[in-house]
């Protein structure tokens, strides 16, 4: 296969206008599948979460998952869509080895949500509105594992394995209208849209939106229009892009590749393409089918979906504060700059800090713990911040113990270490390790007198008015008490003894 000729990005924008279309597939976090009672837990042993319905065995009849329908409507409402008063499922016919029924139960001409929009915050603080064409319900396919090749794809593989656990898991596909007017910011807009959509879905609580596990996947459609024209070019669809950065890279690469083809006198083939994370390039997949090729027809085994207006309004009342509105509120309440807030979001700390504040901790202390010591611990363990075995409530309790003078900052870190090690709640770790601050004056005076006797020259300096010399005595007492003395009270006692 010949290496494609890429055009410099600046020249692409001088000669063409990009047009994007983004299709995002979201696996819902329902307990059971879309049309049967099989569980949906990720990572189970292959082919252990299947039944006659999701395997498509003869005579097995599907039943719609009510929770999935509710999640679909809440997504549609959050995207400012109209919820259709009448909709139905259809059979989308095509053969994939990992689709046991040889058709996918989806929605075609009567989706549950239509004509919405999402206002997407960009890096410079501006907002770009992305129009939503539809959000429809469907079921996921199974997974193929191609063994023996160098790429993980079927070409060159020695054999393939099939796991049908994922077949039938509820999916919502969110499809944008053609996105125009982005100019040189097309890749940024694509990434920002998927980012905003991911944040919105997480806030709704309808999915864990784990791109690394495939519960959020983006298909990026890209085409180019020659400057001065209005007819869209032929599009390609880069399938299953599974990270935010890769969405941006895939769009940018396709723009430079397509421009190279067009400027060389070639034509773009309407096809699916695969994105290679390691090289940042795309490669041809299969020729893209049209809707007619799928031979859609109404699913005869499922009744139409006709949500009453009262049900829709009940669900509208459950919508949470939008993520970007919440961030504006937090920025004002915590006195953060936009850059500081962005750092917290990128570190995955914002939700943890807010939960710690909700558990009673001051915002400043909560932020300090999560972005400093706990981030260090997460990096050392090679996990995300949210993956640490400590809860915001436990962090809030440690902060409360420090505020009450029962722990020093040094002792507090030891308490956190104990919680991370699985030794129990903060108070249990304090008791088991004997970490409480020594604040009893009798014990502290004994330690102070011993330190003064050991350093008579320092004692004389303090008596002579050089109060700053007290630091040496405080340090000696802290060492003698293994850091468990109340340093402020020790200093007061030192000054009293020497006055």
């Amino acid at each position: 296969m010949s290496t494609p000729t890429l055009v410099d990005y600046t020249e692409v924008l001088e000669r063409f206008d990009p047009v994007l279309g983004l299709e995002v597939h979201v696996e819902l976090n329902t307990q059971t599948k879309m049309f049967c009672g099989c569980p949906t837990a990720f990572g189970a042993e292959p082919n252990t979460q299947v039944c006659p319905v999701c395997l498509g065995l003869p005579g097995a009849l599907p039943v719609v998952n009510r929770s999935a329908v509710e999640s679909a409507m809440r997504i549609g409402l959050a995207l400012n869509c109209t919820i259709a008063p009448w909709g139905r499922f259809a059979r989308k016919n095509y053969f994939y080895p990992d689709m046991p029924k040889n058709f996918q139960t989806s929605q075609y001409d009567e989706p549950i949500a239509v004509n919405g929009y999402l206002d997407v915050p960009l890096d410079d603080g501006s907002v770009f509105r992305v129009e939503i064409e539809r959000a429809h319900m469907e079921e996921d396919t199974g997974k193929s594992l191609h063994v023996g090749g160098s790429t993980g794809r079927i070409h060159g593989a020695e054999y393939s394995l099939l796991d049908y656990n994922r077949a039938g898991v509820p999916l919502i596909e969110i499809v944008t209208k053609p996105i125009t007017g982005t100019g040189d910011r097309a890749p940024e807009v694509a990434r920002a849209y998927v980012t905003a959509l991911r944040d919105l879905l997480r806030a709704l609580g309808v999915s864990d939106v784990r791109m690394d596990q495939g519960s959020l996947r983006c298909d990026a459609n890209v085409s180019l229009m020659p400057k001065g024209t209005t007819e869209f070019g032929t599009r390609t669809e880069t399938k299953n892009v599974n990270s935010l950065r890769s969405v941006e890279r895939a769009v940018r690469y396709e723009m430079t590749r397509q421009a190279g083809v067009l400027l060389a006198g070639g034509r773009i083939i309407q096809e699916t393409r695969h994105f290679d994370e390691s090289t940042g390039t795309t490669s041809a997949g299969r020729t893209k089918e049209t809707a007619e090729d799928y031979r859609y027809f109404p699913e005869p085994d499922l009744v139409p979906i006709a949500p009453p207006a009262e049900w829709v309004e009940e669900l509208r009342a459950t919508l949470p504060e939008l993520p970007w509105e919440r961030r504006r509120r937090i920025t004002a309440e915590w006195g953060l700059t936009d850059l500081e807030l962005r750092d917290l979001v990128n570190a995955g700390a914002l939700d943890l800090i807010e939960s710690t504040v909700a558990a009673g901790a001051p915002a400043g202390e909560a932020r300090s713990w999560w972005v400093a010591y706990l981030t260090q611990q997460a990096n050392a363990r090679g996990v995300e911040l949210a993956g640490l075995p400590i809860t915001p409530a436990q962090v809030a309790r440690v902060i409360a113990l420090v505020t009450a003078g029962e722990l020093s900052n040094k002792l507090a870190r030891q308490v956190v270490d104990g919680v991370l090690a699985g030794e129990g709640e903060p108070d249990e770790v304090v008791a088991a390790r004997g970490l409480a601050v020594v604040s009893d004056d009798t014990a502290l005076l004994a330690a102070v007198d011993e330190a003064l006797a050991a350093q008579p020259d320092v004692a004389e300096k303090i008596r002579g008015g050089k109060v700053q010399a007290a630091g040496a005595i405080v340090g000696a007492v802290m060492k003698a008490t293994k850091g468990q003395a109340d340093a402020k009270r020790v200093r007061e006692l030192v000054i009293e003894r020497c006055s």
Side-chain angles (χ1 to χ4, degrees), residues 53-291:
V53 174
C54 56
L55 288 176
L57 300 183
L61 294 176
V63 177
V64 175
N65 185 327
R66 178 187 174 93
S67 293
V69 176
E70 288 188 339
S71 291
M73 289 196 287
R74 292 180 72 236
I75 291 171
L77 291 169
L79 291 172
N80 305 289
C81 291
T82 298
I83 303 301
W86 177 272
R88 59 182 173 177
F89 287 96
R91 291 189 180 185
K92 182 180 182 182
N93 296 274
Y94 60 106
F95 173 74
Y96 273 167
D98 54 12
M99 195 163 61
K101 295 186 294 189
N102 286 343
F103 65 85
Q104 181 185 35
T105 306
S106 182
Q107 290 187 305
Y108 173 47
D109 55 344
E110 296 177 283
I112 191 142
V114 295
N115 294 329
Y117 64 87
L118 182 62
D119 287 331
V120 177
L122 301 182
D123 292 342
D124 62 359
S126 62
V127 174
F128 189 95
R129 175 165 290 189
V130 175
E131 302 285 344
I132 305 296
E133 178 180 301
R134 57 192 278 148
H136 65 261
M137 297 179 287
E138 59 187 24
E139 60 181 338
D140 212 343
T141 61
K143 291 181 68 175
S144 298
L145 177 64
H146 306 297
V147 182
S150 59
T151 64
R153 303 192 182 280
I154 193 169
H155 300 290
E158 297 177 9
Y159 58 92
S160 298
L161 300 173
L162 297 175
D163 178 8
Y164 290 122
N165 280 351
R166 197 177 68 180
V169 168
L171 276 184
I172 302 299
E173 182 175 354
I174 302 165
V175 183
T176 70
K177 295 180 180 180
I179 304 171
T180 59
T182 58
D184 64 336
R185 305 185 77 174
E188 178 194 351
V189 168
R191 171 182 52 78
Y193 166 74
V194 179
T195 302
L197 187 58
R198 181 197 62 174
D199 292 346
L200 178 61
L201 295 166
R202 182 184 288 129
L204 289 170
V206 296
S207 173
D208 63 11
V209 290
R210 290 281 300 271
M211 296 188 80
D212 59 317
Q213 293 182 358
S215 53
L216 181 71
R217 311 190 291 272
C218 178
D219 298 341
N221 293 270
V222 179
S223 65
L224 296 178
M225 289 191 302
K227 288 284 187 180
T229 65
T230 57
E231 184 177 351
F232 292 165
T234 302
R235 64 184 172 87
T236 62
E237 181 181 10
T238 304
K239 299 286 289 185
N240 296 330
V241 186
N242 61 5
S243 77
L244 299 174
R245 177 170 176 263
S246 293
V247 170
E248 184 171 15
R249 294 171 71 203
V251 168
R252 187 183 183 99
Y253 178 83
E254 267 302 288
M255 289 172 62
T256 60
R257 185 193 69 83
Q258 289 185 23
V261 173
L262 294 172
L263 293 178
R267 66 182 184 89
I268 303 300
I269 299 172
Q270 183 170 320
E271 62 185 357
T272 63
R273 297 184 68 84
H274 303 294
F275 182 71
D276 188 322
E277 297 273 354
S278 61
T279 62
T281 62
T282 66
S283 58
R286 58 181 171 83
T287 302
K288 180 64 177 173
E289 294 91 345
T290 62

Side-chain angles (χ1 to χ4, degrees), residues 302-367:
L302 291 170
V303 298
I305 303 294
E310 297 79 13
W311 190 17
V312 174
E313 292 311 309
E314 286 176 9
L315 294 174
R316 192 190 304 275
T318 69
L319 298 182
E321 182 181 24
L322 295 177
W324 31 96
E325 293 176 354
R326 169 175 165 249
R327 288 171 189 168
R328 282 196 292 269
R329 172 179 57 79
I330 288 174
T331 299
E333 289 179 356
W334 296 358
L336 301 176
T337 66
D338 290 341
L339 181 59
E340 288 171 335
L341 179 70
R342 190 180 310 160
D343 288 342
L344 295 182
V345 172
N346 292 339
L350 186 62
D351 291 344
L352 296 167
I353 296 170
E354 188 175 29
S355 296
T356 305
V357 172
E365 282 84 344
R367 178 184 166 202

Side-chain angles (χ1 to χ4, degrees), residues 27-45:
E27 277 190 0
L28 301 179
N29 57 3
T30 54
Q31 295 298 307
T32 56
K33 292 185 180 180
M34 188 73 218
F35 303 113
C36 68
C38 290
T40 58
F42 179 82
E45 286 295 314

